[in-house]
Amino acid sequence: MKKTFILAALLAGVFAAQPASAWSGWGHKLIADIAEKHLTPEAKAEIERYIHGSIVDDAAWMDRVASWNRSKSHIAGWEQTSWWHMYTIGPDGRPDSRRAYNGDGDLLPNLEKCIGNLKNFRELTDSAVVINLRCVVHMIGDMHCPSHVYYTEFPDVFSRPKPKDPNEKRITRYDQFPLTYEGKPKRYHGLWDGLSIRAVYPELGEEFEPYVRKLDKWSKKKIAKACEGTVEEWAMENARNCRAIYDWAKPGDNIDRSFFVEHQELSKSQLVKAAYRLAHTLNGIFGQPTAD
Ligand SMILES: [Zn+2]
């Protein structure tokens, strides 16, 4: 019975449209493509042995599997489908896993777990390497998306009694506050996911190489500086840099494309930083010479 369900879920995923996701899916591809250009030849060759292609194709895999599991419940062997793609920052600016949004923990411990698993990749089965790799590629991207930091300093103001209309969603998280974008009612979080890069590059699509060249411009020194520190330190730095998005817009505001054009420096720098840190992480894991 369970097997039938998983098969049905897998097939549904194959035919599903590209799901809504951080960085709009294309952003994830940009991140993975830039990261791939910064892999050492050793790391690139080792990764290709497992995925038989490019990490670009796997960049949004986690969003696809998340969309298979809308109930966010465990599917045996597919725990990644219920992971949260955000992380929580407490009032002291540090990760606060006690406030994790769902029972499977937020992004940071799961990302650290996958990186830890890959450090022993030679002892893992090929499919376990592939799954952990897909998760690392995606979660390093997501952790840099400005709307993917959940600040506990904000009250969950939209928590309210059960709505009269059963189809109306109960909004409980501050990042999901309602506002108007180009005359249409939207939620703030989703606008950053979908438009922070696409509003800047409206033509972004299959031909994304020109945008890779536009974005991948940091000096070696600047890249090395950005890659210093631990995943947790990267998360805290992201949280400090992205906090401003909650000063730039408030519930009920009326914004349009110019909002994301005005704030493009944040989205662009977060996106390339994700790419450089992803390459740095993968080089550290797969760029090592074999022991024998
Ligand atoms: Zn995601």
Side-chain angles (χ1 to χ4, degrees), residues 63 85 138 142:
D63 286 334
H85 295 202
H138 187 79
D142 271 1

Side-chain angles (χ1 to χ4, degrees), residues 20-22 28 62-63 66 85 107 138-139 142 148:
S21 65
H28 273 292
M62 272 193 86
D63 286 334
H85 295 202
L107 184 149
H138 187 79
M139 287 195 283
D142 271 1
H148 280 237

